[in-house]
């Protein structure tokens, strides 16, 4: 089924993905396309509406991002946000000027709304502004529909042509009624019905996969992470036993993780799952290696080798299932063409395994949508909301040489840490938390005995995508409990420290 589609044309704004997510939250399917997109491609997608994003440029400069004015003649409703709004003004004969101190606005701003269908049911007068340039005169045919103390044209519209522009950011939470405004645009201007729901997605996808794969066979590299798990269960629902999953347990997983994966997919979902226990093999390769990049490379290469060996035993599979999600597609800049995760070495595509085609059932979805689909498919919450875990696993959380003894100590400490975060109700609030084991021993005293044992580092970060992050402020009482439990319960540890570095300059992982 062809879903109603709204297109977000990206002019380089930092909130482009957020706009798309807000549209989807309103039950409307949405795609992000670069401003360089061919108008024919837009026409082919038959959009119900188009949104221009913000961006860091000045619309009146020669080489700033533009789009052909033909787009205004397609008869599709358009909403411009921030730069998008200014671009509409500039392209249609209004005036955009460089703001002096008086016209620049940044942050929460009071607005005076006038009459507009966009403002139906809107009560709050707080919006989020972030602009230097401003529109000093609206194009012909437009009426001004709001203003602020510093911005004479905070929004404008031409209802005849269905073109709307807002200087503020309705997609940002600080615009209190932003969601209402977007929903008015979608439902009252674009007149969508709202056909994008998790159930409709699952039904459509299952049907599509069935048609595509038919009775051929597919292979999936299951990592136990959210994306590959949801992709596997979805494909399994469509083709059942014709899907085989290979789960490489490299021995660098968290406590009970391997067994959990086996229990969930083999027992609960009754899937063809091959678990390869390759701990000795990986630890053997890592013996004596201390340099982080070298460790990553060894783990990545070994992973692919193990995967290849297992898949060769199965004979030729026509399809390979991958858990690629929409941010991977957008960030790689590939839009519609096939994309393969390249950033992460483990879980990447083995090069000389022979497939006819890649199946990526989640490539249209944002992470929170993937989670919702997973829940609806019956995957347990513990897995769906598990923090991100790097492919090389504990191999880069045991700092320096990786040994079984160190991995075991780290697994125990990490499990205590996660247990306490869950008990304190913090686990889901934190984007990612984990323990690390630096290759450091320190002196301590327990009872009357001198101890000389390992140091455990705790990391917890707040982030939205892992690209930047702040260290998470865990309350002292919780930290205290974690520390004393780790020292009491984990043999070989006598000291705990908390990492208070943000990213940048630090990275989230220690290696
Ligand atoms: P850094 O340490 O670069 O991590 O700040 C950012 C996010 O990426 C995860 N990460 C990885 N994920 N394979 C993965 O699948 C990797 O090699 C890898 N290295 C880092 C990290 O856990 C964090 O969420």
């Amino acid at each position: 089924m062809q879903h109603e589609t709204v297109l977000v044309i990206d002019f380089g704004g930092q909130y482009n993905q957020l706009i798309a997510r807000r549209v989807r939250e309103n039950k409307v399917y949405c795609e992000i396309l670069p401003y360089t997109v061919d108008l024919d491609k837009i026409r082919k997608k038959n959009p119900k509406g188009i949104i221009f994003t913000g961006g860091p440029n000045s619309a009146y400069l020669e080489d700033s991002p533009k789009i052909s004015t033909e787009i205004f003649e397609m008869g599709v409703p358009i909403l411009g946000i921030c730069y998008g709004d200014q671009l509409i003004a500039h392209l249609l004969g209004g005036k955009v000027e460089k703001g002096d101190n008086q016209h620049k606005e940044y942050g929460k701003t009071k607005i005076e709304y006038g009459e507009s269908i966009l403002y139906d049911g809107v009560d709050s007068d707080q919006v989020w502004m972030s602009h230097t340039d401003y529109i000093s005169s609206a194009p012909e045919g437009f009426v001004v529909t709001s203003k602020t103390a510093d911005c004479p044209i905070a929004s404008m519209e031409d209802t005849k042509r269905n073109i709307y522009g807002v200087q503020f950011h309705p997609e940002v939470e600080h615009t209190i009624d932003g969601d209402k405004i977007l929903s008015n645009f979608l439902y009252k201007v674009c007149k969508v019905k709202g056909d994008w729901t998790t159930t409709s997605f699952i039904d459509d996808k299952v049907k599509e996969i069935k048609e595509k794969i038919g009775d051929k066979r597919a292979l999936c590299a299951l990592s136990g992470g959210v994306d590959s798990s949801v992709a596997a269960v979805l494909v399994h629902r469509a083709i059942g036993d014709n899907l085989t999953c290979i789960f490489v347990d490299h021995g660098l997983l968290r406590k009970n993780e391997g067994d959990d994966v086996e229990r969930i997919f083999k027992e609960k979902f009754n899937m063809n799952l091959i678990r390869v226990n390759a701990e000795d093999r990986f630890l053997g390769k890592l013996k004596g290696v201390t340099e982080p990049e070298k460790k990553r490379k060894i783990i990545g290469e070994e992973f692919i080798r193990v995967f290849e060996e297992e898949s060769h035993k199965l004979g030729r599979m026509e399809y390979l299932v991958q858990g690629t999600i929409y941010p991977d597609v957008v960030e790689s800049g590939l839009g519609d063409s096939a994309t393969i995760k390249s950033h992460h070495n483990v879980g990447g595509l083995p090069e000389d395994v022979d497939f006819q085609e890649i199946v990526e059932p989640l490539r249209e979805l944002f992470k929170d949508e993937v989670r919702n689909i997973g829940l609806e498919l019956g995957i347990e919450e513990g897995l769906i909301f598990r923090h991100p875990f790097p492919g090389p696993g504990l191999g880069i959380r045991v700092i320096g040489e990786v040994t079984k003894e160190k991995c075991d100590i780290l697994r125990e400490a990490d499990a205590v840490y996660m247990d306490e975060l869950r008990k304190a109700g913090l686990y889901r609030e934190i984007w990612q938390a984990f323990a690390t084991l630096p290759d450091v021993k320190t002196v301590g005293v327990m009872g009357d005995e001198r101890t000389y044992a390992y140091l455990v580092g705790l990391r917890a970060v707040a982030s939205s995508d892992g690209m930047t992050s702040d260290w998470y402020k865990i309350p002292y009482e919780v930290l205290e409990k974690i520390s004393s439990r780790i020292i009491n319960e984990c043999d070989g540890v006598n000291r705990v420290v908390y990492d208070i570095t943000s990213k940048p300059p630090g990275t989230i992982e220690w290696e």
Side-chain angles (χ1 to χ4, degrees):
M1 181 186 130
Q2 171 75 36
H3 286 281
E4 298 170 326
T5 301
V6 163
L7 298 178
V8 168
I9 308 292
D10 182 11
F11 289 95
Q14 55 177 328
Y15 302 126
N16 58 7
Q17 290 201 22
L18 192 56
I19 298 172
R21 274 171 51 196
R22 295 279 182 257
V23 173
R24 300 242 192 129
E25 282 163 15
N26 274 292
K27 300 195 171 25
V28 182
Y29 179 65
C30 181
E31 275 181 41
I32 304 170
L33 297 173
Y35 71 92
T36 48
V37 64
D38 197 62
L39 292 196
D40 276 338
K41 186 163 169 184
I42 295 184
R43 283 191 196 96
K44 271 199 202 115
K45 297 211 177 250
N46 193 20
K48 287 278 186 185
I50 295 175
I51 299 177
F52 292 176
T53 72
N57 301 83
S58 289
Y60 46 79
L61 295 180
E62 183 102 26
D63 55 358
S64 58
K66 305 258 170 35
I67 196 155
S68 159
T69 49
E70 270 178 55
I71 198 164
F72 300 112
E73 284 142 33
M74 285 183 183
V76 180
I78 293 178
L79 172 68
I81 296 175
C82 195
Y83 177 83
D85 175 35
Q86 295 170 2
L87 186 68
I88 292 172
H90 175 77
L91 292 176
L92 294 177
K95 192 157 191 292
V96 180
E97 289 188 58
K98 191 167 181 57
D100 46 25
N101 277 342
Q102 203 219 319
H103 291 105
K104 287 184 196 173
E105 286 173 303
Y106 186 79
K108 294 175 191 168
T109 307
K110 282 216 170 319
I111 193 165
E112 213 178 292
Y113 291 119
E115 271 300 308
S116 167
I117 201 168
L118 293 187
Y119 306 141
D120 278 2
V122 165
D123 306 317
S124 159
D125 62 356
Q126 181 186 305
V127 295
W128 181 259
M129 286 286 195
S130 172
H131 66 106
T132 311
D133 291 349
Y134 72 107
I135 302 173
S136 57
S137 126
E140 220 181 290
F142 278 75
V143 289
V144 176
T145 54
S146 69
K147 61 179 184 190
T148 69
D150 298 321
C151 184
I153 304 178
S155 60
M156 59 178 197
E157 64 190 35
D158 176 348
T159 51
K160 267 208 195 101
R161 286 191 285 175
N162 265 333
I163 305 173
Y164 296 74
V166 293
Q167 180 60 68
F168 56 89
H169 289 271
E171 72 279 19
V172 173
E173 267 175 26
H174 302 296
T175 297
I176 307 273
D177 280 322
D179 193 49
K180 183 85 216 156
I181 294 169
L182 276 178
S183 133
N184 284 339
F185 176 70
L186 298 169
Y187 284 85
K188 297 189 173 177
V189 178
C190 305
K191 303 212 164 41
V192 297
K193 291 192 240 14
D195 62 5
W196 178 251
T197 60
T198 43
T199 321
S200 74
F201 175 85
I202 293 172
D203 294 346
D204 291 352
K205 249 323 154 202
V206 166
K207 202 163 152 248
E208 187 189 311
I209 298 167
K210 255 188 199 150
E211 277 164 17
K212 181 172 180 162
I213 304 187
D215 54 9
K216 301 215 173 78
R217 295 196 304 163
L219 183 65
C220 175
L222 191 70
S223 71
V226 184
D227 304 342
S228 70
S229 298
V230 176
V233 174
L234 197 56
V235 173
H236 179 252
R237 191 176 269 200
I239 65 164
D241 281 350
N242 282 336
L243 172 72
T244 303
C245 295
I246 296 180
F247 168 53
V248 177
D249 182 346
H250 50 25
L252 306 167
L253 297 170
R254 292 164 284 193
K255 193 175 174 183
N256 298 332
E257 199 169 359
D259 294 345
D260 279 349
V261 168
E262 203 167 347
R263 177 179 54 76
I264 295 171
F265 297 98
K266 214 169 185 162
E267 289 168 26
K268 178 159 183 221
F269 285 102
N270 229 333
M271 283 163 58
N272 271 332
L273 174 79
I274 299 170
R275 174 176 177 179
V276 192
N277 289 313
E279 184 183 38
D280 292 346
R281 208 169 145 166
F282 279 84
L283 289 178
K285 291 271 173 186
L286 289 167
K287 202 167 183 317
V289 184
T290 54
E291 213 272 308
E293 278 311 302
K294 205 159 171 205
K295 290 200 288 184
R296 278 175 178 275
K297 218 160 172 240
I298 289 172
I299 299 168
E301 278 171 6
E302 200 56 19
F303 181 93
I304 289 175
R305 207 148 299 146
V306 173
F307 187 82
E308 279 169 0
E309 282 173 22
E310 286 305 318
S311 67
H312 283 153
K313 288 185 199 158
L314 298 168
R316 186 169 189 268
M317 294 270 178
E318 277 85 0
Y319 293 91
L320 182 77
V321 179
Q322 292 236 307
T324 316
I325 68 172
Y326 197 51
D328 305 328
V329 177
V330 177
E331 271 151 33
S332 67
L334 291 176
D336 276 349
S337 55
T339 174
I340 294 150
K341 271 190 186 183
S342 57
H343 167 63
H344 298 132
N345 44 12
V346 175
L349 181 65
E351 269 167 23
D352 60 345
V353 179
D354 179 22
F355 300 102
Q356 194 172 318
E357 221 177 309
I358 294 173
V359 180
E360 297 171 307
L362 311 177
R363 60 179 283 129
E364 295 125 302
L365 302 184
F366 288 107
K367 193 83 176 185
D368 37 358
E369 293 176 310
V370 173
R371 291 203 165 104
N372 288 335
I373 301 280
L375 291 174
E376 190 151 330
L377 287 168
I379 305 177
E380 55 198 57
E381 289 195 10
L383 191 155
I384 293 295
F385 291 100
R386 191 170 281 174
H387 290 168
F389 188 63
L394 302 188
I396 54 163
R397 290 184 179 172
V398 166
I399 312 304
E401 187 186 5
V402 184
T403 63
K404 176 146 172 61
E405 183 216 4
K406 289 185 199 166
C407 289
D408 285 341
I409 294 175
L410 181 55
R411 262 189 278 272
E412 289 305 318
D414 188 73
V416 169
Y417 183 22
M418 295 308 115
D419 185 44
E420 286 302 323
L421 289 182
R422 286 200 175 89
K423 282 187 182 147
L426 297 173
Y427 186 84
R428 282 218 202 161
E429 257 199 50
I430 293 173
W431 197 76
Q432 189 175 12
F434 55 88
T436 64
L437 195 76
D439 204 12
V440 171
K441 284 188 172 180
T442 71
V443 173
V445 54
M446 263 187 175
D448 292 327
E449 297 275 327
R450 173 190 185 273
T451 58
Y452 184 57
Y454 282 114
L455 164 74
V456 161
L458 305 179
R459 182 88 163 123
V461 297
S463 178
S464 59
D465 54 10
M467 305 294 279
T468 61
S469 69
D470 205 354
W471 61 280
Y472 189 90
K473 279 80 186 172
I474 298 180
Y476 283 162
E477 314 80 73
V478 181
L479 282 173
E480 189 171 19
K481 186 107 188 274
I482 295 164
S483 159
S484 77
R485 267 195 67 194
I486 290 179
I487 290 168
N488 283 322
E489 295 174 29
C490 306
D491 285 341
V493 179
N494 69 352
R495 192 179 294 271
V496 175
V497 296
Y498 189 52
D499 182 349
I500 54 168
T501 322
S502 58
K503 171 184 179 177
T507 51
I508 295 176
E509 302 291 344
W510 282 22
E511 280 196 340

